[in-house]
Every structure is written in C-alpha cells, then in structure tokens.
Amino acid sequence: MSANNLLRKAKPVNVREAQAQLSKLIRLKEPSMVLSHGKPVSFLVPYEDMLDLVETIDELKDQKLLGEIERARKDYAQGKAVPAERLFKKMGL
C-alpha cells in the first residue's frame, strides 16, 4: 500500500478512544490516525504495511537503483522504450 493510500485509508481516532480500543484497532489490521485536540499525533500501522514502507525507504537509499529509475524516466519522456530486461538485470532479478 502506498503512503498516500495508507494516509487516506486511516481511520481518525482520538487519543482516549485509541487507548480504550487499542486491541480492537490492532485486530482490524487497518491504519488509524490518532488525534489529540483534532490534530494528528500518532499513527497505528498494520505490521505488513509497515514492512512495505520500510522496504520502500530502503530502496530509496539505493543510489544505483535511483539512477536507473531516473534514466528510465528520461527514456520514457523521450518516447524510448525501456526494456524490462535491462531493469531486471540491474536489480539482480
């Protein structure tokens, strides 16, 4: 799930409600945005979604991969086809 989808899907819940219903919120396996006085203060994220976010962050740290993505975007903008094989090879797949 993308970060934007995660934020849009998050159920707003005030701090007291979150404290009283923490077990229920965890069992729902859906994101919850914890609010204090109507302002976001925390975020409850299902484990699998958090793993996806951490993986994405790790990928963003890979300068070689980011360079390939930039190159592919330039090729695409110029109307050039980007062979999937080239990207897969660079990614080690």
Side-chain angles (χ1 to χ4, degrees):
M1 176 178 302
S2 76
N4 283 336
N5 286 340
L6 191 66
L7 290 172
R8 277 192 219 109
K9 189 178 173 184
K11 174 187 172 188
V13 57
N14 68 49
V15 173
R16 286 192 179 143
E17 182 182 354
Q19 288 173 328
Q21 298 185 14
L22 183 59
S23 293
K24 177 184 174 186
L25 292 172
I26 291 170
R27 281 192 310 274
L28 289 174
K29 295 187 178 182
E30 293 180 1
S32 297
M33 186 181 330
V34 182
L35 308 174
S36 178
H37 304 289
K39 295 183 180 181
V41 293
S42 190
F43 211 81
L44 181 62
V45 181
Y47 181 75
E48 292 298 323
D49 290 340
M50 190 66 193
L51 289 178
D52 289 344
L53 289 171
V54 169
E55 182 179 342
T56 299
I57 290 168
D58 285 343
E59 289 171 353
L60 291 173
K61 292 177 184 177
D62 184 340
Q63 294 302 313
K64 188 174 179 182
L65 178 59
L66 291 177
E68 272 299 307
I69 292 169
E70 181 63 27
R71 183 171 147 198
R73 285 181 176 155
K74 287 178 183 176
D75 288 349
Y76 182 78
Q78 294 173 0
K80 298 178 185 175
V82 178
E85 294 81 23
R86 185 177 83 199
L87 182 58
F88 291 153
K89 184 177 179 182
K90 293 285 185 179
M91 293 175 65
L93 301 176

